[in-house]
Amino acid sequence: MVDGKFDYDLIVVGASFAGCVAGKIAAEKGLKTLIVERSYKPGEKIVSGTGLPILVFQDFPWVAEAPLERPWFGVVSHFLRDGKIEVTVKVERYDFPFCYGIYCQPFVEFLARKAVEAGAELKTSTVAVDVIKEDGFIRGIITDSGEKFRSKIVIAADGVWSLIGIKAGIRKKFSPSDMMHGLWLDFEMPSEKDLDEALGGNYFITFWDLDGKFVPPPGISGYFGIFPYKKSFHFGIGVSVSFLAEVGLNFEDIYRKFFELDYWRKNFGKAKLRAKMWRPYPIYGGLDREQKGMDKTYGNGILIAGDAAGFEASSQGDGIHTAMLSGKMAAEVAVEAVSKGDYSAGMLKKYEELWKSSIIARRLKDYGRKNLIQYAGNPVLMKRGILEIYSMPVFLGLDVL
Amino acid sequence: MSMVEEKILGVEWVPGTGTFITINSELCTGCGRCVRVCLGRCIKIREGKAVIENFETCFECGVCWFVCPENAIRFSWPKGGTGVRIMYG
């Protein structure tokens, strides 16, 4: 299938949510596929408090075999005033969880294994440092050891930074105002039962600060969230990168104050801190592609997917479903392009048409989280705004394509 | 309550990364944005310019690069298989 001019039909840069799905689907459809991943083990560079939305299972039923930690049936939102919980609101569905808590590393390793089982070749500990450009086409990649791999199509699935998307000239560096930076802590409870009791049910727990005693207003900061796993959980908050850069923030002071709350001592006093980590993620850019320095998600011989393409779902803070779905769409268009022998932007444009008419665009249109900033200082509006977000059909997994 | 303090738990750093972030001191105005966003406290201002003091607590998050208004920071990835390994991400 691959002639002398090419080593592969498709090269995917980045073995994470978008890249592994793209690699799996392309390989299943017969493309000779290479995935390059800079880490030693797929997933070990990822940081997040992660819930896998139920929509993922609709689109990718095989994910049910993945290592899942705990189902979440609802969201408990605690509103804090003067360092105390003033009111608690629960949004819940009873039939089915809206999310499953997962650890990114084992989950992504599962996705990578699925891609390899489908026939994709995976090179780990390999950085794609540049693209091969010829006659206005992207024709492969150059690795950090100087190897050149030629391919008909490249899919850049290399995260919010997308150094490959930038090298290929299809996007620029994202603006700090389009991103959040999250500091996450991982805690372990003595037993699963201890965590069950502390949570009071299988809930994802968020905290909103009504009087600004702990954190900058919502919209600038996200929520404190407890992302429960089997017997452990992630706890953290994301803050606008431009706010961090201009004003600065001591996350550790915030957390320290939080851990002095009666609520924390009573429920999570037994929790043992196991890890501390941070990562930026795209948010707030919405569908404004120009603001993202990216007027399109394709070019001659290249497609861009996942966080690299800025596919956030702002109000829910979720990028996994959109990443996986965009990986699938990119692979399907690559398969068609290879079968037609046409790798031009004119052909690959189909990818952008696909995602723009899909749930990806619908989720990008929603600026719910950013809108929260207008509620700052008005507790009644804030509570209403947050309830609106957590009652959204798409959040609860009720949206269908 | 056991707390964060200085120690970064739950990660390992594999050496051999190479110098994957550089700051061009000609372009740097010493505004301090990169210092404020660096949660690994890798960057300091010395004589009015940002300087990378260590890579040992760098998470490769690239936020210094995102926020530099002068484009004085060059950001690339550490050598494949090196750098931060996150155990509970």
Side-chain angles (χ1 to χ4, degrees):
Chain A
M1 178 155 213
V2 178
D3 61 34
K5 275 165 67 185
F6 297 103
D7 303 302
Y8 297 93
D9 291 313
L10 174 68
I11 294 176
V12 180
V13 180
S16 184
F17 298 98
C20 291
V21 170
K24 175 183 189 291
I25 290 171
E28 277 168 354
K29 302 265 171 75
L31 297 200
K32 189 179 180 198
T33 302
L34 170 68
I35 308 175
V36 292
E37 165 55 42
R38 71 186 185 89
S39 61
Y40 171 72
K41 212 157 66 162
E44 69 180 6
K45 300 278 190 184
I46 306 176
V47 171
S48 182
T50 310
L52 195 64
I54 207 69
L55 292 172
V56 167
F57 297 89
Q58 265 177 31
D59 291 313
F60 307 98
W62 47 272
V63 163
E65 300 164 34
L68 307 173
E69 290 275 329
R70 178 184 285 266
W72 304 346
F73 283 85
V75 187
V76 174
S77 303
H78 295 299
F79 293 87
L80 304 168
R81 194 199 298 271
D82 200 20
K84 288 196 176 64
I85 293 175
E86 185 180 88
V87 63
T88 295
V89 181
K90 202 189 280 179
V91 177
E92 180 173 21
R93 58 182 288 178
Y94 297 96
D95 51 349
F96 212 75
F98 75 98
C99 251
Y100 278 86
I102 56 161
Y103 275 104
C104 289
Q105 196 283 320
F107 184 80
V108 165
E109 203 172 8
F110 163 84
L111 292 183
R113 198 162 56 241
K114 286 285 165 190
V116 169
E117 280 168 14
E121 185 183 339
L122 172 67
K123 280 187 197 293
T124 55
S125 300
T126 305
V127 185
V129 292
D130 208 345
V131 289
I132 301 171
K133 269 188 203 170
E134 275 170 17
D135 312 321
F137 275 74
I138 304 305
R139 298 272 198 215
I141 57 149
I142 303 168
T143 74
D144 57 343
S145 49
E147 284 177 295
K148 288 185 179 178
F149 297 108
R150 297 173 56 82
S151 66
K152 297 168 181 171
I153 296 169
V154 170
I155 294 178
D158 49 345
V160 61
W161 313 268
S162 196
L163 300 182
I164 285 299
I166 293 172
K167 292 268 185 192
I170 60 167
R171 61 159 268 194
K172 300 188 181 78
K173 187 160 83 169
F174 286 168
S175 153
S177 63
D178 285 356
M179 285 184 299
M180 277 206 169
H181 198 23
L183 177 67
W184 297 102
L185 304 177
D186 180 89
F187 286 93
E188 191 179 33
M189 294 291 269
S191 73
E192 199 173 330
K193 193 167 157 279
D194 284 307
L195 184 57
D196 291 345
E197 281 167 11
L199 295 169
N202 281 326
Y203 302 122
F204 167 53
I205 299 179
T206 69
F207 303 89
W208 300 90
D209 186 11
L210 291 172
D211 54 6
K213 243 186 159 169
F214 292 91
V215 286
I220 290 175
S221 65
Y223 41 76
F224 287 109
I226 290 181
F227 297 71
Y229 305 134
K230 202 161 273 164
K231 61 176 274 204
S232 58
F233 60 93
H234 273 181
F235 174 76
I237 190 166
V239 176
S240 150
V241 168
S242 50
F243 180 87
L244 279 184
E246 303 303 328
V247 183
L249 186 70
N250 189 331
F251 280 95
E252 301 190 5
D253 273 356
I254 293 178
Y255 291 177
R256 208 169 274 125
K257 271 192 265 178
F258 197 89
F259 298 142
E260 285 163 9
L261 293 181
D262 288 344
Y263 168 86
W264 184 275
R265 287 176 198 269
K266 183 171 159 263
N267 294 294
F268 297 101
K270 290 182 198 164
K272 189 168 161 274
L273 182 68
R274 202 162 58 164
K276 172 184 165 186
M277 53 220 155
W278 52 89
R279 261 299 180 272
Y281 45 100
I283 200 159
Y284 296 163
L287 249 188
D288 189 345
R289 310 306 292 173
E290 209 175 304
Q291 190 188 329
K292 282 204 166 80
M294 182 163 47
D295 57 354
K296 50 188 173 48
T297 49
Y298 60 92
N300 286 325
I302 187 160
L303 295 165
I304 184 164
D307 271 0
F311 291 153
E312 85 244 29
S314 170
S315 66
Q316 292 90 31
D318 160 39
I320 292 179
H321 176 237
T322 45
M324 292 175 69
L325 204 53
S326 68
K328 174 174 183 261
M329 290 172 179
E332 285 168 354
V333 171
V335 168
E336 193 183 338
V338 168
S339 76
K340 291 185 174 158
D342 178 1
Y343 325 119
S344 70
M347 168 71 215
L348 299 182
K349 186 172 192 280
K350 276 207 165 177
Y351 167 63
E352 183 143 327
E353 290 163 2
L354 265 181
W355 73 254
K356 280 199 168 161
S357 61
S358 77
I359 192 172
I360 295 177
R362 294 212 299 284
R363 299 193 79 175
L364 280 170
K365 267 183 208 149
D366 163 42
Y367 289 84
R369 185 85 65 82
K370 192 174 197 175
N371 288 345
L372 283 176
I373 198 161
Q374 69 199 350
Y375 306 145
N378 186 330
V380 177
L381 281 179
M382 199 165 131
K383 281 179 231 171
R384 204 177 74 186
I386 286 153
L387 270 181
E388 276 169 9
I389 285 179
Y390 291 143
S391 314
M392 282 163 72
V394 65
F395 186 75
L396 293 170
L398 300 172
D399 200 299
V400 279
L401 268 174
Chain B
M1 181 68 222
S2 66
M3 220 349 250
V4 189
E5 303 309 333
E6 298 307 306
K7 203 167 170 227
I8 301 176
L9 297 165
V11 290
E12 283 173 15
W13 271 273
V14 178
T17 58
T19 306
F20 56 97
I21 306 174
T22 53
I23 302 178
N24 182 334
S25 59
E26 308 254 303
L27 297 175
C28 176
T29 61
C31 73
R33 284 178 175 83
C34 54
V35 178
R36 283 195 285 277
V37 299
C38 181
L39 301 182
R41 300 191 183 106
C42 302
I43 310 176
K44 295 274 179 326
I45 301 286
R46 298 256 178 261
E47 294 167 12
K49 302 281 181 188
V51 184
I52 298 172
E53 296 248 305
N54 73 76
F55 283 100
E56 284 89 55
T57 52
C58 175
F59 264 66
E60 304 146 28
C61 77
V63 176
C64 55
W65 168 73
F66 279 115
V67 300
C68 179
E70 310 300 328
N71 277 321
I73 298 183
R74 196 186 140 273
F75 177 69
S76 57
W77 298 122
K79 177 96 187 105
T82 72
V84 68
R85 300 185 67 182
I86 297 155
M87 283 175 265
Y88 304 103

